[in-house]
Amino acid sequence: MSDTSKSATLTIDGESYDLPILTPTCGPDVVDIRKLYSQAGVFTYDPGFTSTASCDSSITFIDGDKGELLHRGYPIEQLAEKSHYLEVCYLLLYGELPSAADLEKFEATITRHTMIHEQMHNFFRGFRRDAHPMATMVGVVGAMSAFYHDSTDIGDERQREVASHRLIAKMPTIAAMAYKYSIGQPFVYPRNDLDYAANFLHMCFAVPAEEYEVDPILARAMDRIFTLHADHEQNASTSTVRLASSSGANPFACIAAGIACLWGPAHGGANQACLEMLKEIGSPDNIPEYIARAKDKNDPFRLMGFGHRVYKNFDPRATVMKQSADEVLDLMGVENNPILATAKELEKAALADEYFAEKKLFPNVDFYSGIILEAMGFPTSMFTPIFALSRTVGWISQWKEQLADPQMKIGRPRQLYEGSGPRDYVDIENR
Ligand code: CMC
């Protein structure tokens, strides 16, 4: 961020106020209103933060009109093609691509933290078997602060580092255990001879009774899902993590807050909602009816997995994810799966429809990741936990960045109050 000679002038009741304009490395200029209230006595009003930058950050940049997503300056397409998830984790956390030696050391560190404290298994057993795995994850990740006391002091840089590594390493184990518990199978311990994505698939699909070989095409597709969901600048869950952290809360509590926020169907829950919608549509024959409903202003139905708050031309993650979806569908075959056949036809029909073209609504990353996860054999309830484990590195990187920021303040938005003015209490017998 650099100060420029540019400023904006705001006039209220004939009084003028100069507001500095800040210029970022990429993206639109930002009007600095930090002194507005102290100087002019007014607030700004921006529900949904559609025009408000809540922080400065050097991690991720999105240009929604161009369909551009950069992590530390590197385009997501290049990272998805040439890199892999743990390297992207290093990049997000430390700001630069690692040397070969640094990457080896980082991967070894993450690998050595994959098990969770044995006593934490009891937490899982306390949940009902039909609990949503996201509910289990919110609880278990929050409970990590009760186990890893030696990494909750946010003032200690080394403890912050250890907490980051623990969260990235243990999240797949926690997500896989939540899944195994929900289907009544034994927990499968992590295998450190497998890479991050293959280990996750192994923990989800292996059983102690027999050998399970992870297919390299599925492991690669899983790694891509992780990579494409790793960070997405100041979205709702990341902003939740930052807001929780601004009060000085410990890292495990902050990430649990992020998981809770991600769960909603307008955010991370969209991949589950999308697959449920495909099941409801049931067959390609019913697609015209559902497209008509999505266009009907009097019907609240929306095509889940279509549209995006920021990307208004295309979602660059979806372009890469589509390639993986095609590979996985070729491997697994769609002929016998009406949901996947419906997805392929819906994609075609919506892209050819004028309403969707005019409103710039195209399949987003969750449309394709949902299809891949369905083809791999995950139940829909696991889609959002997989998003949560992928996004953990983004939350942690933003959390680390915020704690290192000398300007950090507790987050405390203002409001436009529309309730009653002051009035006297009325005794109950007089109401
Ligand atoms: N189906 C039908 N119409 C839609 C859809 C849709 N999926 N999305 C937006 N529209 C219409 C909407 O009705 C509105 O029409 P009009 O201007 O006539 O009132 C117009 O498009 C603009 O919609 P909006 O709600 O103002 O747009 P937004 O930027 O606030 O919403 C969104 C973005 C993602 C919440 C929305 O597109 C949506 O609900 N999509 C389905 C849910 C989904 O797939 N979410 C995952 C997003 S990607 C994951 C992530 O990054 O978290």
Side-chain angles (χ1 to χ4, degrees):
M1 166 178 71
S2 63
D3 276 350
T4 63
S5 49
K6 282 198 272 180
S7 68
T9 305
L10 177 70
T11 306
I12 304 172
D13 294 337
E15 192 84 41
S16 290
Y17 303 92
D18 260 357
L19 302 169
I21 292 185
L22 309 174
T23 301
T25 326
C26 304
D29 284 350
V30 172
V31 180
D32 179 353
I33 57 161
R34 279 175 293 182
K35 296 204 176 121
L36 183 64
Y37 178 57
S38 63
Q39 290 177 351
V42 294
F43 298 147
T44 54
Y45 178 63
D46 186 18
F49 304 111
T50 52
S51 298
T52 297
S54 58
C55 60
D56 11 311
S57 180
S58 310
I59 301 174
T60 293
F61 173 74
I62 299 172
D63 184 329
D65 293 329
K66 278 206 248 162
E68 183 175 65
L69 167 61
L70 309 177
H71 291 321
R72 305 284 189 184
Y74 296 102
I76 190 67
E77 293 88 343
Q78 290 182 25
L79 293 172
E81 185 65 34
K82 298 181 180 178
S83 184
H84 62 277
Y85 182 67
L86 281 186
E87 186 177 60
V88 172
C89 288
Y90 185 101
L91 175 68
L92 289 168
L93 279 172
Y94 302 111
E96 295 297 335
L97 287 170
S99 66
D102 286 342
L103 182 59
E104 196 181 327
K105 191 166 156 224
F106 180 67
E107 290 187 330
T109 306
I110 297 299
T111 303
R112 275 206 305 275
H113 279 95
T114 47
M115 286 195 299
I116 61 167
H117 194 294
E118 194 65 13
Q119 200 167 321
M120 289 184 78
H121 290 210
N122 298 328
F123 284 146
F124 288 89
R125 298 205 167 92
F127 286 99
R128 283 172 55 133
R129 292 273 177 192
D130 62 357
H132 194 289
M134 283 298 273
T136 310
M137 282 180 80
V138 172
V140 173
V141 172
M144 284 174 79
S145 41
F147 273 86
Y148 300 105
H149 301 289
D150 58 345
S151 50
T152 51
D153 178 357
I154 58 163
D156 179 330
E157 202 182 328
R158 177 67 194 140
Q159 292 206 21
R160 297 206 295 259
E161 182 87 351
V162 174
S164 310
H165 294 161
R166 280 189 169 136
L167 279 157
I168 294 167
K170 295 185 199 308
M171 203 61 94
T173 314
I174 292 171
M177 286 175 75
Y179 172 51
K180 285 299 201 189
Y181 185 75
S182 72
I183 55 171
Q185 287 188 2
F187 298 135
V188 174
Y189 285 88
R191 275 216 358 222
N192 289 354
D193 59 319
L194 297 175
D195 67 33
Y196 192 86
N199 174 48
F200 177 64
L201 289 173
H202 188 265
M203 287 190 292
C204 289
F205 295 122
V207 286
E210 57 189 54
E211 279 296 306
Y212 174 80
E213 281 281 327
V214 180
D215 189 298
I217 293 184
L218 298 189
R220 174 76 190 135
M222 192 77 252
D223 190 85
R224 271 204 167 166
I225 290 182
F226 293 161
T227 302
L228 293 174
H229 287 86
D231 192 43
H232 215 224
E233 54 118 303
Q234 310 312 321
N235 55 80
S237 57
T238 302
S239 299
T240 300
V241 170
R242 279 187 178 259
L243 197 55
S245 153
S246 76
S247 72
N250 76 65
F252 306 110
C254 295
I255 300 306
I259 297 173
C261 176
L262 186 77
W263 195 356
H267 192 9
N271 48 19
Q272 171 168 355
C274 173
L275 245 288
E276 278 160 5
M277 174 195 76
L278 291 170
K279 281 184 189 157
E280 190 187 314
I281 298 176
S283 122
D285 300 343
N286 300 329
I287 289 173
E289 177 197 332
Y290 280 85
I291 295 226
R293 283 188 57 194
K295 289 156 58 169
D296 181 355
K297 282 279 145 252
N298 299 317
D299 188 330
F301 174 77
R302 284 186 169 200
L303 277 191
M304 300 312 285
F306 285 76
H308 200 272
R309 166 58 68 82
V310 178
Y311 298 119
K312 294 300 179 195
N313 278 317
F314 67 97
D315 178 344
R317 303 167 302 169
T319 314
V320 185
M321 202 79 271
K322 180 175 161 47
Q323 286 167 13
S324 281
D326 290 341
E327 275 170 36
V328 172
L329 294 192
D330 275 354
L331 180 78
M332 310 302 270
V334 288
E335 306 77 29
N336 301 323
N337 187 329
I339 299 173
L340 299 178
T342 305
K344 284 218 135 184
E345 286 308 311
L346 180 65
E347 177 198 20
K348 258 196 246 158
L351 287 173
D353 192 285
E354 221 172 88
Y355 171 94
F356 289 89
E358 195 184 289
K359 294 202 180 298
K360 303 190 169 180
L361 300 169
F362 42 81
N364 57 46
V365 67
D366 287 329
F367 180 76
Y368 297 111
S369 63
I371 294 172
I372 295 175
L373 294 173
E374 161 77 19
M376 282 177 174
F378 281 105
T380 49
S381 60
M382 274 305 286
F383 292 8
T384 318
I386 289 170
F387 190 164
L389 91 81
S390 320
R391 182 57 57 84
T392 295
V393 68
W395 293 330
I396 285 287
S397 305
Q398 305 263 352
W399 167 82
K400 254 182 88 191
E401 180 180 70
Q402 182 185 27
L403 289 176
D405 181 353
Q407 299 189 72
M408 186 184 104
K409 278 186 185 332
I410 186 166
R412 176 55 171 94
R414 300 295 193 152
Q415 64 173 2
L416 171 63
Y417 177 68
E418 292 190 304
S420 166
R423 49 183 172 161
D424 289 326
Y425 179 80
V426 180
D427 292 329
I428 196 155
E429 58 274 19
N430 298 328
R431 283 176 220 160

